[in-house]
Amino acid sequence: MEAFRRVSVFVFALLVLIASPSHAATPACGSNAGDEQAIADLRTAAATSCPCDSFDQHSQYVSCFIGVVKQFISDGQLPAYCKQYVTSFAARRSTCGRKPGAVTCCKPKGVGLGSCSIADTAAKCSSLAGGTASVGTTAACIDACPDPPTPSPVPSPTPSPTSSAAAKVCQRWNQDQALIVRNVSWTGSVTSCTAGDISPAARQSTVTLVNLYRYLAGLPSVSDNATLDRESQACALMMDANGLSHSPPPSWKCYSADGALAAGRSNLATTDSVDAVSYYMADFGNASTVGHRRWILSNGLGPIGVGSTPFSSCLWVVGGSAPGGRAWTAWPPPGPVPVVALWGADSIGWTIQSDSIDLKAAKVKIDDGGTSLPVAVSQLGGGYGSAYAIAIKPRGWSSTAGHTYQVSVTGVASGINYSVMPVQCP
């Protein structure tokens, strides 16, 4: 299959990344009178148009909910700055359309990634956050945890990142996150099929996040390209107007040749380009390839293209001209890494990718303080950002700050050994 077809459609599932502080120029949802009532009215309308228990797939429910959000914003019934909050916590972080048994899961504040997530079962929820998590009271995180549980005493408090390497990683993480503009404004229109554009700050924020994850993985930074940006913007318009597809037909609303070209060479998401980067790294719903993460961590990535609307985005990743040179790349990476950056890694799996090392016979062993941890290893489809790749899924344990995980890979031409050290950045 041609390389440009080696990008899979991004399907949202399980969790959403907790938002960083909003751009100062845009109000936070809930800060103005009327926001709370607007959200309540929206959810009432969505409950009628998109009944939670009437969907077989979570992505279908999210798409339906987003349609209601769009209509409310268009009609002036919901402020645009509430879009990300309400779709994240009322739709994407909900059990609607998931497998039977899925629950909202409440965690103590400051543990993991926010106070609410989604677990496959109540038993899995109870095992999170050191056993301090509890099942939520509703199907959506927006109101599932009205009274967050109090953390139980922890025998060994997580140490602060005191080593110079950990401090450097945390400094870069905090520095780059502080630069991110989370509210993506758009000058285009689906109604008039105008691709428009996003602000330079929003586009740069997307590139900054891509490079932040590449920095953590020990990879060189990349830049965007004006031509690829323009074509990716045409792609984002098409995705907003029709849904996600890497092979859009000419019959699509707002179809263009530039947009179709970008669709076949991009990671696609049903959210804006800034939020999408962290979703790509988690790559929920893409267990057979983990292709979105692998493209971002590809040896040959760059230049990239960034196109976005508030509801859809295209990140051009295929066909890069970077020379590469890394024998292998792992996520989580060797050395210290902010534990918050590992959002989703335990759920979909740790990954090792390579363009030169055949990993088909790889066997993986992970130790924590001399204790062997159970894992499940699976082969990933080739061609998605690397020739070879494996996923390593934790079984009954999760990445925890303050621990050191020794990873040993055998069954390959040259053994791979490294240590992963999650840290809680201040």
Side-chain angles (χ1 to χ4, degrees):
M1 184 181 293
E2 296 170 306
F4 71 86
R5 295 188 182 276
R6 296 287 193 178
V7 190
S8 53
V9 172
F10 186 70
V11 180
F12 291 114
L14 295 180
L15 304 173
V16 296
L17 185 68
I18 203 155
S20 294
S22 301
H23 185 50
T26 304
C29 188
S31 63
N32 291 328
D35 288 356
E36 185 175 349
Q37 185 59 51
I39 292 173
D41 293 344
L42 167 74
R43 296 188 68 198
T44 297
T48 300
S49 301
C50 315
C52 181
D53 58 359
S54 64
F55 293 87
D56 295 327
Q57 296 183 19
H58 179 62
S59 59
Q60 294 174 344
Y61 172 75
V62 172
S63 295
C64 181
F65 190 95
I66 287 176
V68 178
V69 172
K70 287 183 176 180
Q71 189 61 54
F72 262 60
I73 292 176
S74 176
D75 293 344
Q77 295 177 273
L78 180 76
Y81 57 77
C82 280
K83 180 266 302 183
Q84 292 178 345
Y85 170 76
V86 73
T87 55
S88 292
F89 290 92
R92 292 190 178 113
R93 200 180 294 197
S94 76
T95 61
C96 302
R98 299 187 190 277
K99 293 181 180 179
V103 297
T104 49
C105 187
C106 305
K107 297 179 291 183
K109 290 185 177 180
V111 177
L113 287 163
S115 60
C116 184
S117 61
I118 302 298
D120 293 338
T121 64
K124 286 187 177 180
C125 171
S126 298
S127 69
L128 295 177
T132 63
S134 60
V135 174
T137 58
T138 67
C141 277
I142 195 168
D143 56 4
C145 308
D147 297 305
T150 302
S152 300
V154 181
S156 301
T158 300
S160 298
T162 55
S163 74
S164 59
K168 182 179 180 181
V169 162
C170 285
Q171 180 182 22
R172 173 65 181 266
W173 177 265
N174 292 334
Q175 170 186 294
D176 283 11
Q177 290 289 342
L179 298 173
I180 302 305
V181 173
R182 292 283 175 183
N183 294 281
V184 176
S185 59
W186 179 45
T187 63
S189 167
V190 171
T191 302
S192 62
C193 287
T194 303
D197 206 354
I198 56 176
S199 69
R203 178 163 284 118
Q204 183 56 50
S205 291
T206 306
V207 177
T208 294
L209 285 175
V210 169
N211 284 330
L212 176 56
Y213 285 104
R214 287 180 63 82
Y215 163 79
L216 294 174
L219 295 164
S221 62
V222 298
S223 59
D224 62 318
N225 172 278
T227 298
L228 301 186
D229 288 341
R230 176 178 55 78
E231 292 170 337
S232 297
Q233 192 61 41
C235 170
L237 170 66
M238 290 168 57
M239 300 305 118
D240 195 328
N242 303 277
L244 303 186
S245 173
H246 288 294
S247 303
S251 59
W252 260 23
K253 178 179 173 65
C254 303
Y255 178 89
S256 68
D258 283 348
L261 177 65
R265 302 191 176 186
S266 298
N267 283 352
L268 309 177
T270 54
T271 190
D272 65 67
S273 62
V274 178
D275 277 355
V277 177
S278 296
Y279 284 112
Y280 293 144
M281 291 301 296
D283 224 353
F284 299 119
N286 201 24
S288 63
T289 65
V290 197
H292 304 96
R293 180 194 301 171
R294 288 165 59 194
W295 275 117
I296 287 178
L297 301 181
S298 173
N299 256 331
L301 184 67
I304 62 176
V306 178
S308 186
T309 75
F311 293 97
S312 299
S313 56
C314 304
L315 181 68
W316 187 304
V317 291
V318 180
S321 57
R326 289 288 295 276
W328 54 270
T329 297
W331 190 262
V337 57
V339 68
V340 70
L342 305 186
W343 174 65
D346 294 336
S347 175
I348 202 68
W350 297 20
T351 49
I352 300 175
Q353 63 191 75
S354 176
D355 292 320
S356 58
I357 301 174
D358 190 337
L359 298 168
K360 291 188 180 68
K363 297 180 179 180
V364 180
K365 186 174 184 291
I366 299 182
D367 290 338
D368 178 12
T371 300
S372 182
L373 302 177
V375 297
V377 179
S378 60
Q379 293 292 321
L380 300 176
Y384 295 84
S386 67
Y388 309 100
I390 56 174
I392 310 157
K393 192 169 183 178
R395 292 298 190 190
W397 59 277
S398 59
S399 307
T400 304
H403 290 238
T404 297
Y405 302 96
Q406 304 286 344
V407 182
S408 176
V409 183
T410 58
V412 298
S414 56
I416 297 174
N417 296 278
Y418 60 97
S419 298
V420 176
M421 295 175 281
V423 295
Q424 188 72 53
C425 294

